[in-house]
Amino acid sequence: MNWLNLRRFLPLLMVGILSHVPMAASAQMDWITPHLQSLEFGRQIDQIVEQSRTGGATQQQATSVDALFVPSAARTQENVSRFIRLSEQAGDGGQLRSYFVAQPTLMGEIAQAMRGANLDPQNVADCYALWWMAVWQAANGVTGDPDSRTVAAVRRQARDVFATTPGFAETSDADRQQYAEALMLQTLLLSAANEQFQGNPAALRQLASSARQGAVASGVDISRMTLTSDGFVMSF
């Protein structure tokens, strides 16, 4: 997704990443709290996407439950430290740490780029929409910028998912921020790898497999979905 200005991050992000493609695609669920992992986002996603296929309404509770959070710079530092620690435990060789040493304002720059795409980095649903599009592109070897209609449609679907997921309304600002920042960083890693691996079929196949596995671990069977200008629809 070039609308995140990924090309300027590529020299930084791609050092050593070829050895850690699975980490880049599938670490998301390891980065968030067990409470958030227990929420059934996947079930709601299937319902929302199926409604899109059948032309049903998708605005069920979006006005009564939002996915906003009040951000904290201290929590961002805590989250980044957690992501780095878990990545090193998973064997990333210190790559994620090196990214933040070289680019300490990385999370803020991703947030700024999201705003340029009319996505709110202080809304977990918008961060999910960003990741949802990126993981689908990585799973299918697709690059390029989703147009504004597509982004708006997926944002609406993601907001509906979070508005209708039981238990999400009770989550804390801290939990929401941790999930949002995990999604933002995973998007950058996925998209950077997808851009870089164009022309390398073996690496693209590995990335696609890891992206699908990571999505399934998050409760989303991305292989059943197609991204369209009206948002995600079921492929069959």
Side-chain angles (χ1 to χ4, degrees):
M1 296 182 185
N2 295 335
W3 36 293
L4 283 183
N5 290 322
L6 283 173
R7 294 196 183 281
R8 64 193 176 92
F9 291 116
L10 283 175
L12 166 68
L13 290 171
M14 298 320 302
V15 177
I17 203 170
L18 280 167
S19 301
H20 305 289
V21 175
M23 182 277 292
S26 60
Q28 175 204 328
M29 292 305 288
D30 295 332
W31 287 4
I32 65 173
T33 63
H35 173 61
L36 277 170
Q37 291 183 36
S38 69
L39 299 180
E40 296 182 342
F41 294 116
R43 180 176 298 180
Q44 298 304 118
I45 287 169
D46 284 347
Q47 292 179 3
I48 296 298
V49 174
E50 180 63 23
Q51 286 171 351
S52 296
R53 184 184 71 82
T54 60
T58 62
Q59 299 292 331
Q60 295 165 302
Q61 298 177 21
T63 58
S64 59
V65 179
D66 65 48
L68 297 168
F69 61 90
V70 178
S72 159
R75 281 201 298 266
T76 295
Q77 291 302 315
E78 292 172 3
N79 291 338
V80 168
S81 295
R82 172 184 170 82
F83 302 156
I84 289 171
R85 183 178 70 254
L86 291 174
S87 296
E88 290 178 345
Q89 290 173 359
D92 89 326
Q95 291 301 318
L96 191 60
R97 182 182 300 276
S98 71
Y99 303 157
F100 280 98
V101 169
Q103 193 78 24
T105 60
L106 189 60
M107 298 305 300
E109 294 190 49
I110 298 172
Q112 182 178 357
M114 284 184 65
R115 294 186 185 98
N118 203 25
L119 294 170
D120 185 353
Q122 296 174 21
N123 188 313
V124 186
D126 285 21
C127 295
Y128 195 94
L130 183 77
W131 171 84
W132 196 359
M133 289 182 283
V135 76
W136 183 88
Q137 287 190 317
N140 290 278
V142 174
T143 60
D145 302 352
D147 61 29
S148 59
R149 175 176 171 175
T150 301
V151 173
V154 176
R155 180 186 61 209
R156 182 179 64 250
Q157 288 179 312
R159 288 184 179 185
D160 288 345
V161 166
F162 280 79
T164 56
T165 296
F168 180 76
E170 288 74 45
T171 56
S172 67
D173 277 344
D175 281 349
R176 293 184 184 200
Q177 183 171 343
Q178 183 186 84
Y179 195 15
E181 291 177 341
L183 291 163
M184 290 161 66
L185 188 53
Q186 284 292 315
T187 295
L188 185 61
L189 294 171
L190 280 166
S191 299
N194 195 23
E195 291 276 348
Q196 183 71 10
F197 294 158
Q198 296 302 311
N200 186 336
L204 278 175
R205 285 194 296 273
Q206 186 183 7
L207 178 64
S209 176
S210 294
R212 287 191 293 270
Q213 291 171 16
V216 169
S218 303
V220 184
D221 186 355
I222 206 75
S223 66
R224 299 176 59 223
M225 301 178 189
T226 299
L227 180 60
T228 75
S229 60
D230 293 320
F232 281 100
V233 297
M234 288 298 185
S235 302
F236 53 88

